[in-house]
Amino acid sequence: MKILVTGATGLVGQGVVMACQASAAVERLAVLVRKGGDAPAGVEEIVLADFLQAQGVVPLLGGFDACFYCAGAPPVGTPEAEYRRATLHATVAVARAWAQANPGGRFLYVSGAYADPDSRVMPLRIKGETERALAALPIETVMLRPGGVRPVEGTGTRHGALKPLYQFGGPLMKLAERMTPGMATSNEAIGRTMLALAAMPSPPNVVECDQINALAAK
């Protein structure tokens, strides 16, 4: 498969790239990054400084089977206007450009547990609005809804306020993955699941956290 990953430097994206690099099924791996040099070593990069301007790089986005969209803003500490811009508007802009370049491709979006456009909780509402907007596009879309996401060894968050959470909460999240798989998963498991979904003839439209863990374990 030929895979394009966005958000490769984020917590989720790092694990997804790791899973892609480890998979013999991936023939080509590229990442969409905001500045040159952000791509992991040895990975092809496509530079787009502003994801809202994705229409300008449509010719560079062609030739892929699937896009694994992992970019976004942290739900904690991000003002609503900024969160909406990064989560809804930027995602849809990239998806539209990618769909134009790959009309027969598949767009897999890392959303979140309990995403709902009618939610009173701001991040869940905007995630839900993003899912709805993506589902309306003329391409095949799959929404992944992880709960807590644990960074595997060699990956982590760049957001200082969240580092203690993952440092001290990591062991508990790993336990939760085994005991209550609907509550937590790992970033690498998300990557393995995305690869499985990209290869399926008819994947589900929505994949919840427990399904992510189940597919990653196969």
Side-chain angles (χ1 to χ4, degrees), residues 60-128:
L60 301 179
L61 301 180
F64 292 97
D65 299 302
C67 177
F68 296 170
Y69 199 96
C70 311
V76 178
T78 305
E80 181 170 351
E82 182 181 342
Y83 191 82
R84 179 176 293 278
R85 179 184 185 277
T87 303
L88 173 60
H89 300 308
T91 304
V92 173
V94 172
R96 283 175 176 159
W98 191 87
Q100 184 177 338
N102 305 278
R106 189 172 290 172
F107 192 92
L108 293 88
Y109 171 61
V110 179
S111 181
Y114 307 110
D116 181 352
D118 297 318
S119 176
R120 294 184 179 181
V121 181
M122 182 272 289
L124 303 184
R125 181 175 65 253
I126 294 177
K127 285 278 191 180

Side-chain angles (χ1 to χ4, degrees), residues 22-164:
S23 174
V26 178
E27 175 186 347
R28 177 189 177 193
L29 176 62
V31 295
L32 185 66
V33 294
R34 290 184 173 85
K35 61 180 181 180
D38 273 357
V43 177
E44 176 186 348
E45 65 180 15
I46 299 172
V47 180
L48 177 61
D50 183 357
F51 281 12
L52 290 172
Q53 305 303 317
Q55 194 64 31
V57 294
V58 168
L60 301 179
L61 301 180
F64 292 97
D65 299 302
C67 177
F68 296 170
Y69 199 96
C70 311
V76 178
T78 305
E80 181 170 351
E82 182 181 342
Y83 191 82
R84 179 176 293 278
R85 179 184 185 277
T87 303
L88 173 60
H89 300 308
T91 304
V92 173
V94 172
R96 283 175 176 159
W98 191 87
Q100 184 177 338
N102 305 278
R106 189 172 290 172
F107 192 92
L108 293 88
Y109 171 61
V110 179
S111 181
Y114 307 110
D116 181 352
D118 297 318
S119 176
R120 294 184 179 181
V121 181
M122 182 272 289
L124 303 184
R125 181 175 65 253
I126 294 177
K127 285 278 191 180
E129 292 173 6
T130 305
E131 287 188 2
R132 183 169 59 189
L134 291 174
L137 296 177
I139 51 169
E140 190 173 19
T141 55
V142 180
M143 318 301 171
L144 289 88
R145 294 179 177 171
V149 179
R150 174 181 62 87
V152 299
E153 185 176 353
T155 68
T157 180
R158 298 176 299 167
H159 301 283
L162 297 177
K163 286 183 179 180

